[in-house]
Amino acid sequence: MDHAPAPTLLIEPTLDLRDKIELTRLKPMIEETPALRNIMGVAKTRDGSNKQGIKLFPGGVLILGGANSAASLRQMPIRYVICDEADAFPWDIGGEGDPMGLIAGRQTTFPRRKTLEISTPTIKDASRIDEDFERGDQRRWVMPCPHCTEEVAFRWKLLQWTRTPEGVVSACWYVCEHCGGEIEESHKPHMLAAGRWLPTAKPKVAGWRSYHINALYYPIGLGLSWMELAQEWLDAQSDPAKLKRFINTRLGEAWEDRSRDLKPRIIAQRAEAYAVRDIPPGCLLLTCGIDTQDDRLAIQVLGWGASEQAWVIDWLEIPGDPARMFRDAMKQQGAFYDYLNKPFRNAWGKDMRIAAYAIDSGGHFTHEVYGFVRSRCLPRLMAIKGASQSGKPVLSPRPRPMDVTSRGRTIKKGVMLWMVGADTAKHWVHNRLVADAGVEPEARRLRFPAGLDEDYYLQLLGEVFDPEKNRWVKRRGRRNEALDTLGYAVAASQHPEVRVHRLRKRDWEALSRTLEPGEAADAESVKDNKQEPANDDKPKRKRRTGGKRGGFVKNW
Ligand SMILES: [Zn+2]
């Protein structure tokens, strides 16, 4: 606007966002930048020339558009175009095609046109910026290593850190890929200043430049420190949404769903020496997921230990009419009830009962499931239903009261229905399966017994995540109850009186003392706590137990 004024179009993903950006970003920038303040001052609000979305300045005009509005992109010939958050642009606006095509049409009269596309990348194979970055010469900011002076571009995998046993990052440094020297964050200001953009590829389109930068480059004091980034990364490991956000916004990379590469045969090879229904050491709590089919019930029991490590304990299908099985169970009879009610015995001869059950109420037996749950014939038995929206928590924080119809009689608000983020649970399962690749059994996040049949693993991988539709889809001809029931068992683990995901080391130790007497507490705990410090002289806080309703640990 000051150096080479020309008609300029700034496009935000939507018109709403455009208005917001104009007020919160553009206006302060113009007011606080002397060069811009001067030129904008000339054409001040006379005859409405600087109305919303249009800013006149000597030699040019700045138009603000929204990529969701074809009209706002079709104003006049434009020399410079700035596309902000281009990954959020639609691929087609109102049947007129790609907004980028409409924009290019406005620029053709200017031989010295320029287009600047800026974005956080989103999902691999669906990301505009990722594609356009790869089309260009892929420049990265390289800087001399303070030790060997070879040029380095900051890459996430070369950041190193140490952690306290509580998992808090306590130190952080970067390793030079050339000399192995340790680069401290305090080296950064000098390095940044001595750097340059280095093309790393031949552009696929002549003159197409592309640039990549990530959060490791944040100047000190502007954005997160390396330690804060490492902590954010660690905290994101158990949450696919957080992990995706980290990879997109901090690493500046497109999210690639790795679950497509999982194969049933490979997962089946992870089966360990413990038998189905055996309780391995370290497994201290059980939850159960039940799926209702027209001619059978599918059941999966999941075991839990410190750090939310999970074991598949059992998987079975009971053939028969579900309505009849529920009726029998309410009378505390039948194979289905007997199975669920029977305690499991661990290697110390201690009996363990299932702490919570989640049963799917979707399908053809909704009211039968409601009746079964209402009977309270099992403790912490929850009726669940898959949430229709994606990205919901594995278990909704608050259940909804539902009417129950039983033998022609309606009981108002007779049962509580819990919504389950089934897609979130599936991400949970797949993330663990992916993360466990090449990991020793003791350190795996999801462990399998010997003796599960091939069909179990086929069903476990019976669905694949479609990032474009943002939902899970069944693989052709596959059943998926093993995956569903595993997800339900995960949901059951978050019952407010159980809350496996909120249990602390101390809670697990207390469980271990009860269930594994004589065993050194916490033998199965996480591996990377090398430097166990002398924390014992710290004042001990009172042991936290499960939910508000108090003390599930002592109920066991
Ligand atoms: Zn070096």
Side-chain angles (χ1 to χ4, degrees), residues 78-143:
I78 294 287
R79 178 160 161 198
Y80 300 134
V81 175
I82 304 165
C83 304
D84 192 23
E85 285 304 338
D87 259 29
F89 285 20
W91 293 99
D92 181 86
I93 20 175
E96 298 197 41
D98 190 340
M100 301 302 264
L102 289 184
I103 296 159
R106 307 267 61 77
Q107 290 179 287
T108 45
T109 49
F110 291 95
R112 300 190 60 197
R113 58 188 172 264
K114 276 190 167 70
T115 305
L116 174 61
E117 204 180 308
I118 312 165
S119 193
T120 299
T122 50
I123 289 165
K124 194 85 190 164
D125 301 328
S127 165
R128 210 185 268 282
I129 198 79
D130 192 51
E131 257 175 46
D132 285 344
F133 174 74
E134 289 184 352
R135 192 170 291 158
D137 59 5
Q138 308 184 20
R139 291 168 187 236
R140 292 176 195 272
W141 190 255
V142 292
M143 306 152 292

Side-chain angles (χ1 to χ4, degrees), residues 280-285 303-311 432 442-445 447 500-501 503-512 516 521-527 529:
C283 173
L284 301 169
L285 206 150
W304 299 90
S307 307
E308 257 189 283
Q309 192 169 38
W311 289 261
R432 290 193 170 214
E442 308 78 56
R444 286 183 198 150
R445 311 286 294 140
R447 303 170 67 171
V500 164
H501 59 308
L503 293 187
R504 296 181 179 185
K505 204 163 166 236
R506 254 160 229 185
D507 302 317
W508 292 113
E509 282 165 1
L511 277 171
S512 174
E516 301 183 340
D522 215 21
E524 288 285 305
S525 152
V526 204
K527 293 274 140 192
N529 299 346

